[in-house]
Amino acid sequence: MNIYLHNTLSGKKEEFKPLKEGHVSMYNCGPTVYNYAHIGNLRSYVFADTLRRTFEYNKYKVNQVVNITDIGHLSSDADDGEDKMTKALKREKKPLTLVAMREVADKYFGKFKKDLKELRIETPEHFPFASEHIKEDIDLVEKLDQGGFTYKTSDGIYFDIKKFADYGKLGNINLSEDEQSRIGLNPEKRNSRDFALWKFSWKFNNELGYDAPFGKGFPGWHIECSAMSVKYLGPEFDIHTGGIDHIPVHHNNEIAQAVSAGYPYAHYWMHNAHLNMATENGSEKMAKSGDNFIALKVLKKKKIDPLALRYVFLGARYSTPLQFSWEALESAHTSLSKLRAKLREFDTNTESLSTNQKAKIKEYKDEFNRLINDDLDTASALALIWELTKNDEIENKEKKKLILKFDKVLGLNLNKKTTIKIPEKVENLLKERNLARENKDFVKSDELRLEIEKLGFKVKDTEEGSVVTPL
Ligand code: AMP
Ligand code: ZN
């Protein structure tokens, strides 16, 4: 069955054509490990994992790289501001040394891996650390230097974007508009969008950095990704992913330097939309440096299954912006528990059906495959699963088998036994209803019953008191 993916490079949905039949190579821009990942970041990795699982479902062999940025990423993507890892060293009151930097990186890499496990994100084949690929970075900078693509300033070696005719093609960046906002930027740069391939040590601390023929320093963030992707996947590979914030700078820079070095590079560029947070003036993306930071561990403290977050993400296509809310997360937690409870009900088999259920099963399989292969339409795939739970033309045990097969793509651990958590809002409504009943206010009590039902729960009045169960 064909797979169709939206390619940011062409701006269109395209049929996926692998470089090597039955194989897919992909690079997912990984975390800068200077802090916990926030749940917005995790949307990127759930997306990459769903892509991976979709290929596996289609019997592809996957070679996946998620890099770990543990040096060289400045607080602005355009090479300005403070180095993020240096910032973490100061925050954690550690000495400004490469050894301490690696300690911080290892700490947050550990937290990141834990998050991936909680979200049932499959382990990629490679997790390369930027600090272990300095030689590859230096080789690439030298190659670009020899090709005449670079120039030197007092603080680093820069890529001259005027030497790459296709600069800005990814996402059709408007370069002329950008030129007008040069004021205040590094005056030594020839063009505001020229970017650092290498930054000299004095920018950080005289002691800190790696020796290189062009001067002691750090690789630029963009060169790290190109050097590591080419090392693990080769000069030409299938897919490169990241959040949409990477399109205007990071990914255009990666393409410019890799193609100028003679690599055909990635065929498909895919980007996930952001997880946004409501603000007083509207909405903004969740960011590590902002006040709106929510880590996965916060969900656990609130007794929300981390996979409820995965359920929220899958409820929209990866390329659709999502607005975060605790209500949506609570409701996803309930839906997930209900779906798991349904699967347990399916252990009690229905009597054999005389109708030809094989054809029906095939219809569901085909439809699921069509949806998931249509640029990962996970929202419709989830809706299809719910519809399947209600279909009485298929025996229970067959329904369960089919849903667990689909779960290989969704990764929701639907076979897990979970008790259904009653949301706080429902608990409060129940308390209010009990009070109304004590006061013999049956009109109010009936209204409250309806409100509880709207939230997906039914009220049962027993001799021991009233209880709620999922509808
Ligand atoms: P970082 O650790 O900041 O380099 O980001 C890791 C990944 O998370 C990148 O692919 C970003 O594009 C992505 N990302 C950052 N913020 C968000 C967000 N609010 N929603 C979705 N993805 C995000
Ligand atoms: Zn990257």
Side-chain angles (χ1 to χ4, degrees), residues 98 117 152 159 206 212 220 271 294 362 372 379 382 443 450 455:
L98 290 178
K117 202 167 166 209
K152 191 172 178 175
F159 184 93
N206 284 333
H271 296 95
I294 299 173
K362 186 173 180 311
I372 209 72
L382 263 181
V443 177
L450 284 177
L455 294 171

Side-chain angles (χ1 to χ4, degrees), residues 398-414:
E398 294 298 334
K399 281 202 256 192
K400 180 164 181 169
K401 227 162 73 187
L402 207 48
I403 292 172
L404 290 181
K405 187 176 162 63
F406 297 161
D407 193 32
K408 287 204 161 55
V409 178
L410 303 179
L412 291 169
N413 201 7
L414 293 177

Side-chain angles (χ1 to χ4, degrees), residues 232 239 351 364 412:
Y232 293 95
I239 304 176
E351 280 174 34
Y364 274 100
L412 291 169

Side-chain angles (χ1 to χ4, degrees), residues 50-89:
T50 311
L51 189 58
R52 177 193 172 98
R53 285 168 176 269
T54 299
F55 278 110
E56 285 176 335
Y57 191 80
N58 283 278
K59 308 259 184 302
Y60 275 79
K61 180 148 179 30
V62 182
N63 189 11
Q64 184 186 14
V65 181
V66 176
N67 69 290
I68 304 299
T69 301
D70 60 339
I71 43 161
H73 191 177
L74 302 186
S75 46
S76 140
D77 286 358
D79 311 308
D80 289 313
E82 199 179 5
D83 170 56
K84 292 188 179 187
M85 293 303 290
T86 310
K87 206 167 141 185
L89 285 177

